[in-house]
Amino acid sequence: MRWPVETALENLDGLVVLEATVPLHHETRRLLDRLRGARLTYVDASSLALMEQHDIRTAWATDHHLGLTGAEIFPRS
C-alpha cells in the first residue's frame, strides 16, 4: 500500500534532521576502518556514527548493519 505524499508528510512531526559535519566524517571513516570485515557502505557507517553521537539505541531498519554497535533493530527478522 502506498501512502499519498501528503499523508507521509503529516507524520513527520518528530523528525529531526542531523547535520553532516567534518567530525562526523572522521568518525565515519574510523568506523569504516574498525568494521572493515562487515562490508559497510559510507551511509551505513555514518548512520552508526550518528546513532552513537546521539545515543540512539533503537532503530527501525531493514539493514542489519545498523545493529553492529549494539543497537536494537526493528523489525526483527
Side-chain angles (χ1 to χ4, degrees):
M1 171 179 166
R2 282 182 65 110
W3 286 9
V5 171
E6 296 81 20
T7 303
L9 292 175
E10 290 170 2
N11 291 294
L12 297 179
D13 290 338
L15 179 68
V16 176
V17 177
L18 302 173
E19 189 174 344
T21 62
V22 171
L24 174 65
H25 172 70
H26 292 304
E27 180 61 14
T28 299
R29 292 191 57 194
R30 187 187 70 76
L31 283 169
L32 283 169
D33 189 50
R34 188 178 105 204
L35 300 170
R36 184 176 307 246
R39 298 176 45 102
L40 292 177
T41 65
Y42 186 89
V43 171
D44 291 335
S46 63
S47 296
L48 289 170
L50 284 167
M51 290 172 70
E52 285 182 357
Q53 285 179 3
H54 295 276
D55 200 30
I56 298 169
R57 304 224 180 266
T58 305
W60 184 92
T62 56
D63 187 338
H64 72 280
H65 289 122
L66 295 185
L68 287 173
T69 57
E72 186 173 16
I73 303 302
F74 292 98
R76 294 185 179 121
S77 8

